[in-house]
Amino acid sequence: MFARLLDHLREPFKTMVALAALTGIRVGELLALRWRAVDWDVGTLRIYEAVFEGQFQRPKSEKGVRTIPIGPLTRWLLENHRQRLARLRPEDLIFPNRQAGPYRESNLLNRVPRPAGKAAGSDA
């Protein structure tokens, strides 16, 4: 089912969904990721920020601030995604909207993964 969902997504949304599935990060954390959060040498992703309705904030709890190891597939996805982008400064978002800001979680979920899930055959 997951592969069918990915087949119904275009980039960068395919990479976003795959990254969330591979790392277990929340949608708000995914939308707040910046390139400086990726440690390419060690192979980790630092979660220290989240987005809620377009506004940056700290994660819900202190346990939410964490470092996640990333494996070869996650690294490959991020590297391929990085090659498609023009904005690559450390403070730039990994998944920016057209204005280089964060997506709004509610809009994104309603416009992208939910319709893709229905097209892939999910009732969710």
Side-chain angles (χ1 to χ4, degrees):
M1 184 64 190
F2 186 68
R4 288 197 339 233
L5 171 66
L6 291 178
D7 286 342
H8 285 87
L9 292 169
R10 65 185 195 290
E11 291 297 349
F13 308 112
K14 183 181 290 195
T15 298
M16 292 169 85
V17 169
L19 183 64
L22 289 166
T23 62
I25 63 175
R26 297 173 184 91
V27 173
E29 296 167 342
L30 177 76
L31 300 178
L33 281 178
R34 300 176 190 271
W35 287 112
R36 68 174 167 234
V38 181
D39 186 328
W40 299 102
D41 295 328
V42 179
T44 59
L45 194 58
R46 179 93 174 124
I47 306 300
Y48 58 89
E49 219 173 4
V51 169
F52 179 72
E53 292 307 318
Q55 300 297 315
F56 289 95
Q57 58 190 26
R58 300 271 303 159
K60 288 183 178 183
S61 70
E62 284 306 311
K63 288 183 179 181
V65 177
R66 62 204 186 280
T67 301
I68 300 170
I70 57 173
L73 178 57
T74 303
R75 183 185 176 104
W76 180 85
L77 287 169
L78 286 168
E79 287 171 348
N80 283 343
H81 176 65
R82 189 164 81 164
Q83 291 174 8
R84 292 188 296 269
L85 297 178
R87 301 177 62 96
L88 296 171
R89 296 174 305 183
E91 66 273 10
D92 289 335
L93 293 170
I94 293 177
F95 300 106
N97 65 20
R98 289 184 182 150
Q99 293 78 35
Y103 285 97
R104 286 186 164 268
E105 178 180 343
S106 58
N107 291 344
L108 180 68
L109 291 172
N110 287 326
R111 291 183 182 167
V112 181
R114 287 189 180 133
K118 287 186 182 199
S122 170
D123 292 332

